[in-house]
Amino acid sequence: MASQNPEINEVIQASGESTLEGATRRAEKQVDELVHVSLSVAVTGETGAGKSTFINVIRGLDDGDNDAAETGVTETTTEPTSYKHPSMENVEFWDLPGIGSPNFKAKNYLKQVQFDRYDFFIIISSERFRENDIKLAKKIQKRKKLFYFVRSKIDNDIRDEAQREQFNEEETLSKIRRNCEENLKGIENPKVFLISSMNLSKFDFGKLVATLMTELPELKRQALLQSVPVSSLALLEEKVRMFKKAVWAVALLSGGVAAAPVPGLSFACDTSILLSFFTRCYYSFGLDDKSLDKLSKRVNKPHLKSLITSPLVLGLASKSAVRLQLSALAGSALVKNLCKLVPGVGNAAAGVISFTLTFTLLKRGLKDLADSARTMLREAGLE
């Protein structure tokens, strides 16, 4: 039965259901999947290939940070070790000992590392892929699981080749790629990506993510997309589209809309859900201080952070917004303050907010965060 409220009708239509009750059930499922679907990525390779550094960078960490994977020129991985994403705990990267290492011989490798718990494998090499790498790929292929080859430290190769006369970067990259593919004998259509962990915005990191987005199941794609660092404007827009699809569901779950009296359709807003959604976007878009500091340093533009003027971004960055326990976030004062963070929304009545205002707040808040991230990326030259 249609409501007289156009926003309610819009979310019912977005849910694919015919009733508000059906839309609410669908919303619960969609938000649960957004937040809780797990993704486990196995990263393996020989000693010194750069797998630990890759795991750190894809989690937005430097090698010396707390909870960073240990790196070194000697074997630092003696058993499968899990590293959770710092802001998306449902996503974890596993640093695996290289196949053929003393305690992980090729014959029993998949059993020892518990093959079935990983969604896909990334096999890393900083030079030629070795015989053991190829053996592992064949074993994974036989068991019909996804795997990808990453040729790391490409920035070092480019720097070395640049010393030669008549250097051409594209030709050098093509040559390295061909050599890798020719080296992977017995692997049908090997997927090779040339990556520098020092600069994910260059070379093939975007192609790796794009490939995963076409080959992973939908819910796993969603988990991956939330967690990977923003390395380009195109990747940001993919993230924005994903979160846009969830706005209607978050709006329904932020309060008891289905039980709200008609015609007012007002309800006590659960602001913890709103804040949780905005915080998830904030970290996924790379707007947190750590991500901005790293980007500023890499592109040598220390003024980047000063370009952020959004009250919503600044509010999320403050201790009072981000670090409060969610159970303490439903008070009327925060409802008012949260609404003030988004220009044009205005104040909410004390502790009670209309569905229309909540829906508007979510849409405008998401746009505000996305626009701030677009500004940062364009100024950093990562279009």
Side-chain angles (χ1 to χ4, degrees), residues 67-307:
D67 298 323
E70 186 179 355
T71 61
V73 295
T74 59
E75 180 60 66
T76 56
T77 307
T78 58
E79 61 183 26
T81 305
S82 170
Y83 295 94
K84 290 186 180 295
H85 192 282
S87 60
M88 311 287 174
E89 290 196 349
N90 53 314
V91 176
E92 59 183 338
F93 296 86
W94 287 83
D95 193 352
L96 304 187
I99 185 170
S101 55
N103 296 321
F104 290 84
K105 300 300 183 183
K107 182 179 179 180
N108 298 316
Y109 184 81
L110 294 185
K111 181 179 180 180
Q112 286 181 284
V113 300
Q114 300 182 46
F115 173 85
D116 290 331
R117 69 181 169 191
Y118 311 114
D119 292 298
F120 63 91
F121 282 73
I122 292 178
I123 304 170
I124 294 184
S125 175
S126 59
E127 297 174 354
R128 290 173 59 85
F129 290 98
R130 308 296 183 184
E131 182 180 353
N132 281 332
D133 297 325
I134 298 170
K135 284 182 180 178
L136 174 59
K138 288 180 177 179
K139 288 175 178 289
I140 298 170
Q141 190 173 52
K142 186 176 181 179
R143 296 177 67 168
K144 301 186 184 304
K145 188 161 285 192
L146 297 172
F147 62 94
Y148 307 90
F149 293 99
V150 165
R151 171 64 160 76
S152 65
K153 304 183 182 181
I154 290 299
D155 50 327
N156 292 345
D157 295 279
I158 294 299
R159 185 169 55 250
D160 292 342
E161 289 294 320
Q163 307 303 316
R164 302 175 182 272
E165 293 184 10
Q166 299 180 343
F167 164 73
N168 183 290
E169 182 172 307
E170 288 303 317
E171 289 181 3
T172 299
L173 293 173
S174 295
K175 180 180 178 181
I176 294 172
R177 194 187 312 278
R178 285 195 304 272
N179 287 344
C180 289
E181 292 170 349
E182 291 168 359
N183 173 222
L184 294 168
K185 296 177 181 178
I187 306 296
E188 184 177 354
N189 298 320
K191 293 167 185 174
V192 177
F193 301 89
L194 313 184
I195 288 176
S196 164
S197 293
M198 300 299 102
N199 189 351
L200 293 182
S201 61
K202 293 194 68 176
F203 312 117
D204 288 347
F205 180 72
K207 292 180 181 178
L208 172 60
V209 174
T211 301
L212 289 167
M213 291 298 292
T214 63
E215 298 187 351
L216 289 175
E218 181 178 359
L219 296 181
K220 300 295 183 178
R221 293 200 302 265
Q222 194 167 264
L224 175 79
L225 190 55
Q226 287 182 76
S227 65
V228 294
V230 181
S231 57
S232 68
L233 192 57
L235 183 52
L236 172 67
E237 299 303 341
E238 288 288 338
K239 289 173 176 270
V240 173
R241 280 190 286 272
M242 175 188 62
F243 282 112
K244 275 184 178 179
K245 292 179 181 178
V247 164
W248 71 270
V250 177
L252 279 183
L253 295 187
S254 63
V257 180
V262 179
L265 285 172
S266 294
F267 59 93
C269 177
D270 186 345
T271 52
S272 69
I273 295 177
L274 302 186
L275 189 61
S276 177
F277 177 76
F278 286 142
T279 301
R280 205 165 187 86
C281 298
Y282 167 80
Y283 282 106
S284 184
F285 294 171
L287 292 170
D288 57 288
D289 284 348
K290 185 174 181 62
S291 295
L292 291 176
D293 287 341
K294 289 185 68 175
L295 178 59
S296 297
K297 183 177 180 180
R298 180 157 59 82
V299 299
N300 195 27
K301 291 188 176 181
H303 65 284
L304 280 183
K305 197 183 298 186
S306 67
L307 297 178

